[in-house]
Amino acid sequence: MERLINLFLEDAGQHGKLLRDAVEKGDAKRVESEAHRIKGGAGQVGAEALRGLAAELEGLGRKSELDAAAQILAAFEDEYRRVSGFLRNEMST
């Protein structure tokens, strides 16, 4: 389980940065792709709120409707910080 969590944290952290860049540049295809990748990992570690936010971003990217993407990205990043803190704490106990 620890290995899965570490892989998720590394992968989601990396792809979260790429997702932010894609939103900032208005690149809908990359938003869809990066959000999709994060969504799968979040589901594997049981981070359902994070998975839901990634799914929303993925859908916006698929429809090329990024007007609300910055707002959802902010919520996504807040949730990622919460989840990563929780998971790191759980691994250290």
Side-chain angles (χ1 to χ4, degrees):
M1 189 64 168
E2 188 174 324
R3 184 169 182 257
L4 174 67
I5 290 170
N6 281 326
L7 285 172
F8 165 73
L9 292 171
E10 183 179 321
D11 193 58
Q14 243 178 5
H15 290 282
K17 291 174 186 173
L18 295 172
L19 178 59
R20 169 167 275 294
D21 184 61
V23 168
E24 288 174 351
K25 291 180 178 173
D27 187 338
K29 286 187 187 278
R30 277 187 50 219
V31 168
E32 179 184 6
S33 174
E34 298 301 337
H36 177 78
R37 183 162 185 154
I38 295 166
K39 181 181 76 173
Q44 289 179 336
V45 298
E48 287 303 310
L50 188 65
R51 189 200 62 73
L53 290 163
E56 283 186 64
L57 287 164
E58 180 185 19
L60 293 176
R62 185 178 304 113
K63 294 184 277 184
S64 294
E65 296 176 2
L66 299 181
D67 293 342
Q71 248 181 341
I72 297 169
L73 178 65
F76 170 88
E77 290 174 334
D78 287 344
E79 184 63 13
Y80 174 74
R81 281 189 289 276
R82 190 187 72 72
V83 166
S84 64
F86 173 80
L87 291 173
R88 283 186 173 94
N89 185 52
E90 287 298 307
M91 286 192 311
S92 69
T93 57

